Amino acid sequence: MGIHPHTKQQKITRDVLPFARSYQLEALDKAIHENTIVYLETGSGKTLIAIMLLRSYAHHLRKPSPFIAVFLVPQVVLVSQQAEVVKMHTDLKVGVYWGDMGVDFWDAATWEQEMDKHEVLIMTPVILLNCLRHSFLKLNMIKVLIMDECHHARGKHPYACIMTEFYHHQLQSGSSDLPRIFGMTASPIKTKGIQVKKSLWLLQFLASKLKMLKEQVCTFKDISVFEIYFHHPVFSYCHSFIYVYCCYLSYLFFMSEVINNGYSVSQHELTLESSDFTGSVAESAQKRITKMFDALIFSLGELGVWLALKVHAYFLQKLSVSHVSLSEFDSFSWGHSGDKVVKNFILACIDTLKSYLQCGNDSTATERNGEILDINILLAFLALINFHTMFFSYSDAKWSIGDNIKFDLEMGLLTSKVCCLIDSILDYRGLRDMRCIVFVERIITAIVLEDLFNTLLPKYNTWKTKFIAGNNFGLKNQSRNKQNKIVEEFRMGLVNIIVATSILEEGLDVQSCNLVIRFDPSPTVCSFIQSRGRARMKNSDYILMVERGDSATRTRLEKYLASADIMRKESLRQSSLPCDPFKGDDFDKEAYHVASTGAIANLSSSISLIYLYCSRLPADGYFKPTPRWDKETGTLYLPKSCPLQPIRVVGDKKHLKNMACLEACKQLHKIGALTDNLVPDIIIQAAEVEEFGNEPYDDIQPTYIPFGLVSCVSTNSDTTYHCYLMELSQNFSYDISVQDIFLAMRIKLDPEIVCSQFDMGFDRGSVSVKLRYKGTINLSQDQVLLCKNFQVTLLRILIHHDMNELPIGLDKSYLQDDVGIDYLLLPAIGKGEKSLVNWLAINSVNASKFTCKCHQPHIRTKSGLVCTCKLQNALVCTSHAIGKNYFYITTGLMELDGNSPLELRTGGVTTYKNYYEQHHGISLQFEHQQLLKARHNFQAKNYCDGRKQRKEGEASKAFVELPPELCSIIMSPIQDSIIYSFSFIPSIMHRIESLVGAFNLKKMHLFHCAQNETEIMKVLEAITSKKCQESFHYESLETLGDSFLKYAASQQLFKTYESDHEGLLSLKREKMISNAALCKLGCSSGLPVFSPALFLFNIVVSFISEFLISFYLQGFIRNEPFDPHSWIIPGDKSGSFKIEELIIKGKQIYISGKRKLKRKLIADVVEALIGAFLSTGGEKAALLFMDWIGIKVNFDQVPYERHFDIQPEKLINVSHLESQLNYSFHDSTLLVEALTHGSYMLPEVPRCYQRLEFLGDSVLDYLITWHLYKKYPGMSPGQLTDMRSASVNNDCYAWSAIKHGLHKHVLHASQELHKHIAISLNSFDKLSSSSTFGYESETSLPKVLGDILESLAGAILVDSGYNKEVVWESIRPLLEPLVTPDTLKLHPIRELHELIQKRNYNIIQEVVNRKDGVTTYRMEVEADEIIHQYEYLGHALKDTAKKIVYKEILNSLRQEKLL
């Protein structure tokens, strides 16, 4: 016995399960040492042997081992089942794979991740075959390869291809790193014949296919001693048709006569021939007519009238006319496609049948062709043909199915075969835990039997029935996941009966399955054995249904039964014989190898590879790109979005298509359309885009303080400051006027910042702020210390209203060995050129040092005895309320004292002394002292947002009376106008700091582009988000920048990748300018988190050029509303603000904190900055900025070269279109390309409009956005976005195309598109007088029509040498009337969402479903405790249905005046 080569390196020790039987252990031993096929009956534990083999190899598989085991199963429904078994009996990590998971579109990196995570991969064989062909997996990675149901390894089955293309190829080349092969089968024979001995050559074939050094086929003579239950079939005989059923046979005879005499077929063929249909449309309609009639005849003969009507209904449903009455059916808009002919054929059959049945109305019985027809029965049958009954509305009928099976049989409602099935199942009605599988041959049989059982069986028990069939049968959508769910429900007993096609014959393991019925005979020995094996429970039954008297079928089934013993004996003999060397055929010797990866394409794989490539080409609802093969000329035509010319080959006609596809694969790989793994390039591009978008992003960003702002406090005797006078002028009336304030900075601001006048909004109006440079001032250390003490004290009181931590008694140590934000805010006295620093006010911070030379101190305060002068203009603090400090500004003494009367708000009168004692528990000690007249201190608020603040009361009500003995003097003397003006300082400085930050961002760009004329306010607008709640934000600029960026990238890609289709171009654009890409560019090229208060750094050009390169774009972004409490008071060292110093690339960077910035926000700011540079500096400035941050595009003209050997005038009306477009083409083939839909397969037009649409979409977006931005400069930030949305949308473009008749010139061959255009034209006539924004339409417009307008714009752009003005002059008239601020209507979806958010309404329910072409959309909104609801049911697409529902909800709210 031969030994597998890799076992010489390390001996494999078997790892057995304690309950394994002796024959299983024997098989395991053989499998460990050599490639093995185990042939055992179903239920004998083949899978358990495979499990023990995996356990024995486990030490080779456990990570970090690079090796894996692969477990192949032929059916998707078995993947999960076998995975659960492996997980139950091993500790290996299991991965499961099937087609619906999208594995066809995985790349090498994805498969590598799967192998890193899992040790056993369970999949269908085609997945492994594709992985090997694409070189995602290699055989030397696989230690164990298990093939379940290995009898499929013949012909071109994936099992056979895996062995012939890879295993034997590597074996013959001398490779020893090959997997251990373990095959399992319950029937080595899979043929339709019944000559078992002649078919047993398959054992030898399988052995040679799986051969390594020696092959072993394991069978066991004494297996029966282990009590494996094999079920002898029970024959159930169906009776022949009884007498009264002859009416049903007459109907069959009649319908056959319809076909034979050619009435219906010839009539409808004539209709097809006389129509203007294309050949493909006519051929499709003819095939559908034939298919429907064949299915109807089959169901009448095999199932009966009731189920035949079900079949008919499913076909009508397939035509998307379900839920329609007879009258509605007649009026349904079928368009001008083949559907109308199919419909007429169905109705013609029904009408002809009625005429035939009514021919015998003059007698109670009639005879035709020797068959007696009972008229009463015929009339009853005629009633069934009524169209309404096709939809099973039997509530008014006098009968119902299943009440009397004999009567149903006599009436022809059910055939004897179906009745026999029902009787067989009902024989088990007393069975509690029923698990039954009914095997049928046709999918339509499975569908209607499910319906029958769920209608009939509830009358007898609670059994539930479901069907399982292939998922590509087109009548009902049944995904793989749904099939797995049904099987699981069957295991759990939630489903009792499954009606299945052969999809469930193999491998399904449900131990509780106690009944299997073959409704249709098994076509092969394998099918017979496999279906019998599904009955796993002890004492279960296996029923074969045979028509009585059908001796041929019975004989065939009996031979199937006997074949098991013959196969066992023959396999025992075969297992003792040596294997013949494998001889492969020459079919796959012609192959294309990629040396860099090992990927391979051959004649077997070439067709599927081309279909895979085509499936990834751009498609729409009217066209699915597929290759077209002309067998007459041996020419392969690929879809128009493919850059290859038609491929013609010569050779063996049987293999010509394979050869052409292989040649196409070679050419596609050479031009890069197929990667080195021979997968479509778009798969890799899509994976890269997804991976790029999923790259980790840390949204917690540090707040950097640029070095120019943070500096060590000067220790020099004198410090020079640059002084700027902030001239404040209030535009409202108030009893206090604002005063100017000096801003003293260690640096000199750029003139552009100084010239930036701005207004701050207040409750009474606004305050204008203007900076004026006043020169420099030298301050001593004492003066600097005094100034900082003044501003920190005053601003802390205005912002925080707290006595704690006030800077009392500062000395020069405060100025040493520390870094901080260093600028001074000094009150001014005088106006304009005569303005001076008000040192008297600054000295007020040292109130204790204030002395009066005119008066003696005689007034008692908390600060001691003072004179009246000190209380004339003072900032005082009282703490008469426990735990609270109140600040007031005094104006002098009053004539009142503590004993003076005080009028209470409640209307009573008391004294001030009593008031303080009763309300505050304070006993005035100096009740005869005069009271102070004071006003409440001012508060520093956010005056940046422009919103109205709460008014602070009139002057007459703002004053209070204070006992001096309760007051502490904080600052004196200081005027209330100075304090009032300083209350605005945090907001004003926030704006100035923001301007400085915007200027620095602009200055950073200046080093890349010397000519930068962008306005600083535009840059500030671009870095300000809506969350700041200011009067401006970036939305308008972001909209503008987004459109320009999209256009710039699109034209660059269009010119650079001339052979790429629209799908690839879109992916490349997304990777280039997606939010993730822009965020990455912003974070790596220059925008850390910007705090405006921290950006007053040195604007000295020589310094910036060296330093700013260290900063990143996101740092400039303003994304929080201004909060004075978080504003950093310059010179404040209270400890609430900490600066952390970092050294990055030798540069000092200071961090003040962290905040959260979303990725999209950074991307939006990048687009807004593009818009800012574009709006003031033009396209060149925008392109230079894009180049600076890493987006490399240019507007260089490149010739558009392509092969179009056509005469445009023969395909389209060139002169008419040029007149309509007001443009004469230099190359009119561009006009043909722009009007050619992908479904138009004539080879003389090699391209469709998709590439031009890609370009035209972007240029129209940009042109319309630019037009709106320039035409309406006074728009609010969000208004441009709304106007753009109303103008730049496919519905708007589609309406324009219909309005100007462009739909008449589209070159296409899609009947669905033709029908959709016809419906849209009808809708257009109803709404032609309304706006063209598309919001009013309740019809889903064909996207193709909107695409055509975009492709025409693209064609004109290319033909005119990328002259956008020419495009605008040509396309704009088609779009008129353009939206204006007055005609703007919000989209219903946007309007309702904003209303719900604004009014706090609730969406209670929003459910959408689309099935069989019908959309259901239901919504409920609760507004002021009233439920507003609407449900749409119709054929519109989901987006259109949503728009309709939202509009109706808005109308309902409008009627209730809740808008």
Side-chain angles (χ1 to χ4, degrees), residues 211-243:
K211 177 179 180 294
M212 179 64 188
L213 294 179
K214 181 179 178 183
E215 187 64 42
Q216 184 68 40
V217 180
C218 297
T219 59
F220 304 93
K221 300 178 181 178
D222 57 346
I223 194 169
S224 59
V225 302
F226 296 104
E227 299 184 1
I228 300 171
Y229 302 104
F230 304 120
H231 314 286
H232 193 82
V234 176
F235 287 93
S236 180
Y237 296 98
C238 308
H239 295 282
S240 301
F241 298 136
I242 58 177
Y243 170 76

Side-chain angles (χ1 to χ4, degrees), residues 723-752:
C723 284
Y724 299 88
L725 181 64
M726 293 191 292
E727 296 180 336
L728 309 181
S729 58
Q730 62 189 44
N731 304 315
F732 53 88
S733 297
Y734 192 50
D735 62 330
I736 303 177
S737 298
V738 293
Q739 291 191 5
D740 296 344
I741 299 173
F742 279 106
L743 170 62
M745 302 187 69
R746 299 278 294 278
I747 59 169
K748 186 174 182 179
L749 296 176
D750 189 272
E752 187 176 3

Side-chain angles (χ1 to χ4, degrees), residues 681-874:
D681 180 43
I682 194 170
I683 294 178
I684 306 303
Q685 296 276 0
E688 289 177 355
V689 169
E690 183 178 2
E691 182 181 0
F692 188 68
N694 293 331
E695 283 186 0
Y697 165 71
D698 186 5
D699 58 0
I700 304 299
Q701 299 282 354
T703 303
Y704 292 107
I705 309 171
F707 179 79
L709 174 61
V710 179
S711 62
C712 291
V713 178
S714 175
T715 58
N716 299 330
S717 57
D718 291 327
T719 303
T720 300
Y721 286 88
H722 295 271
C723 284
Y724 299 88
L725 181 64
M726 293 191 292
E727 296 180 336
L728 309 181
S729 58
Q730 62 189 44
N731 304 315
F732 53 88
S733 297
Y734 192 50
D735 62 330
I736 303 177
S737 298
V738 293
Q739 291 191 5
D740 296 344
I741 299 173
F742 279 106
L743 170 62
M745 302 187 69
R746 299 278 294 278
I747 59 169
K748 186 174 182 179
L749 296 176
D750 189 272
E752 187 176 3
I753 300 174
V754 178
C755 294
S756 299
Q757 181 177 342
F758 55 90
D759 292 337
M760 306 298 294
F762 298 94
D763 56 311
R764 297 178 179 84
S766 63
V767 170
S768 297
V769 182
K770 183 178 181 181
L771 295 180
R772 185 190 299 274
Y773 183 61
K774 299 295 288 184
T776 61
I777 183 174
N778 293 322
L779 300 177
S780 66
Q781 286 188 352
D782 290 336
Q783 287 175 316
V784 171
L785 188 62
L786 177 65
C787 292
K788 290 191 175 184
N789 194 5
F790 167 80
Q791 69 187 28
V792 172
T793 299
L794 180 55
L795 290 171
R796 189 176 293 171
I797 291 172
L798 290 171
I799 296 173
H800 302 292
H801 318 291
D802 191 4
M803 279 288 292
N804 299 325
E805 300 180 359
L806 285 181
I808 300 173
L810 298 182
D811 55 28
K812 292 184 180 180
S813 63
Y814 185 84
L815 302 177
Q816 296 176 358
D817 300 327
D818 204 354
V819 294
I821 299 171
D822 191 9
Y823 65 86
L824 304 177
L825 297 161
L826 310 175
I829 186 170
K831 285 288 186 180
E833 297 297 331
K834 298 180 180 180
S835 297
L836 299 172
V837 175
N838 189 342
W839 286 105
L840 178 62
I842 294 173
N843 277 287
S844 68
V845 71
N846 295 323
S848 60
K849 297 179 181 180
F850 176 82
T851 58
C852 178
K853 298 179 181 179
C854 301
H855 307 92
Q856 291 294 324
H858 63 282
I859 301 174
R860 295 187 178 276
T861 68
K862 278 194 171 183
S863 301
L865 287 172
V866 298
C867 71
T868 56
C869 298
K870 197 167 186 177
L871 292 173
Q872 187 64 39
N873 289 296

Side-chain angles (χ1 to χ4, degrees), residues 237 253 339 543 556 698 740 799 843 880 934 1212 1315 1419:
Y237 296 98
F253 170 82
D339 288 347
I543 298 177
R556 177 161 57 92
D698 186 5
D740 296 344
I799 296 173
N843 277 287
H880 51 269
I1212 57 174
K1315 184 197 308 182
M1419 187 178 190

Side-chain angles (χ1 to χ4, degrees), residues 285 288-289 292 319 338-347:
R288 283 189 289 167
I289 289 173
M292 288 181 181
L319 287 171
D339 288 347
K340 187 173 183 179
V341 180
V342 177
K343 166 210 161 185
N344 289 337
F345 176 80
I346 296 172
L347 295 178

Side-chain angles (χ1 to χ4, degrees), residues 1442-1458:
K1442 182 176 183 178
K1443 178 177 64 176
I1444 294 171
V1445 170
Y1446 273 64
K1447 189 165 65 173
E1448 292 298 330
I1449 295 289
L1450 283 170
N1451 290 337
S1452 177
L1453 293 169
R1454 192 173 287 110
Q1455 291 174 1
E1456 298 293 333
K1457 299 181 179 180
L1458 294 172

Side-chain angles (χ1 to χ4, degrees), residues 459-712:
K459 300 176 182 180
Y460 302 95
N461 46 45
T462 59
W463 292 343
K464 186 176 181 180
T465 304
K466 288 191 177 182
F467 83 93
I468 290 182
N471 66 338
N472 293 320
F473 54 85
L475 294 174
K476 279 190 176 182
N477 182 27
Q478 192 177 61
S479 66
R480 300 299 190 192
N481 287 334
K482 185 174 181 180
Q483 292 175 357
N484 290 336
K485 183 180 178 182
I486 293 173
V487 170
E488 188 59 30
E489 289 176 345
F490 186 64
R491 286 194 175 98
M492 298 170 62
L494 301 177
V495 171
N496 306 96
I497 301 174
I498 292 181
V499 186
T501 56
S502 59
I503 191 172
L504 284 192
E505 284 182 351
E506 293 183 335
L508 180 66
D509 183 15
V510 179
Q511 295 296 325
S512 56
C513 181
N514 45 28
L515 178 62
V516 173
I517 301 177
R518 292 277 343 183
F519 182 72
D520 295 315
S522 301
T524 65
V525 177
C526 181
S527 172
F528 172 82
I529 294 174
Q530 294 287 1
S531 60
R532 181 181 68 176
R534 296 317 107 216
R536 294 295 180 95
M537 193 173 182
K538 186 176 182 179
N539 299 323
S540 56
D541 291 331
Y542 180 50
I543 298 177
L544 301 175
M545 293 184 58
V546 182
E547 184 178 346
R548 188 176 297 277
D550 187 356
S551 58
T553 300
R554 179 183 175 99
T555 300
R556 177 161 57 92
L557 293 177
E558 288 175 342
K559 288 184 177 180
Y560 284 171
L561 187 60
S563 66
D565 293 332
I566 299 174
M567 283 190 294
R568 175 174 299 201
K569 294 176 181 178
E570 186 63 19
S571 62
L572 285 170
R573 188 182 70 84
Q574 290 283 345
S575 64
S576 62
L577 300 177
C579 293
D580 295 332
F582 173 75
K583 296 180 180 180
D585 55 34
D586 295 331
F587 180 70
D588 286 322
K589 288 186 177 180
E590 184 178 348
Y592 179 69
H593 296 268
V594 180
S596 60
T597 61
I600 181 175
N602 52 35
L603 294 179
S604 293
S605 64
S606 60
I607 295 178
S608 61
L609 183 52
I610 289 300
Y611 271 91
L612 174 65
Y613 168 77
C614 291
S615 72
R616 300 297 289 180
L617 295 175
D620 56 32
Y622 316 103
F623 166 67
K624 301 297 182 186
T626 56
R628 184 168 65 89
W629 171 247
D630 186 345
K631 62 182 179 181
E632 299 297 327
T633 62
T635 304
L636 176 68
Y637 296 94
L638 293 171
K640 298 186 183 300
S641 48
C642 173
L644 296 186
Q645 297 295 316
I647 295 174
R648 180 172 297 178
V649 293
V650 294
D652 186 349
K653 289 187 177 181
K654 186 169 63 173
H655 300 148
L656 273 185
K657 185 176 181 181
N658 304 74
M659 295 165 59
C661 288
L662 183 59
E663 179 60 29
C665 293
K666 296 177 184 178
Q667 294 186 25
L668 288 170
H669 177 247
K670 289 177 181 178
I671 65 173
L674 292 179
T675 68
D676 285 349
N677 287 105
L678 294 182
V679 297
D681 180 43
I682 194 170
I683 294 178
I684 306 303
Q685 296 276 0
E688 289 177 355
V689 169
E690 183 178 2
E691 182 181 0
F692 188 68
N694 293 331
E695 283 186 0
Y697 165 71
D698 186 5
D699 58 0
I700 304 299
Q701 299 282 354
T703 303
Y704 292 107
I705 309 171
F707 179 79
L709 174 61
V710 179
S711 62
C712 291

Side-chain angles (χ1 to χ4, degrees), residues 152-257:
H152 290 290
R154 55 181 306 184
K156 292 302 176 183
H157 188 276
Y159 276 159
C161 292
I162 290 170
M163 302 306 298
T164 57
E165 294 180 27
F166 296 96
Y167 188 92
H168 283 286
H169 176 76
Q170 294 185 30
L171 178 65
Q172 292 168 4
S173 65
S175 174
S176 60
D177 295 330
L178 294 174
R180 168 70 70 238
I181 307 291
F182 181 71
M184 301 182 289
T185 182
S187 172
I189 296 179
K190 190 176 187 292
T191 62
K192 291 187 177 181
I194 57 175
Q195 299 298 321
V196 178
K197 290 186 177 180
K198 292 182 180 180
S199 300
L200 279 172
W201 62 271
L202 181 60
L203 284 172
Q204 181 73 17
F205 175 79
L206 288 174
S208 63
K209 279 285 182 77
L210 302 180
K211 177 179 180 294
M212 179 64 188
L213 294 179
K214 181 179 178 183
E215 187 64 42
Q216 184 68 40
V217 180
C218 297
T219 59
F220 304 93
K221 300 178 181 178
D222 57 346
I223 194 169
S224 59
V225 302
F226 296 104
E227 299 184 1
I228 300 171
Y229 302 104
F230 304 120
H231 314 286
H232 193 82
V234 176
F235 287 93
S236 180
Y237 296 98
C238 308
H239 295 282
S240 301
F241 298 136
I242 58 177
Y243 170 76
V244 289
Y245 194 56
C246 64
C247 68
Y248 170 63
L249 291 176
S250 299
Y251 175 63
L252 283 181
F253 170 82
F254 164 72
M255 294 306 291
S256 300
E257 189 177 72

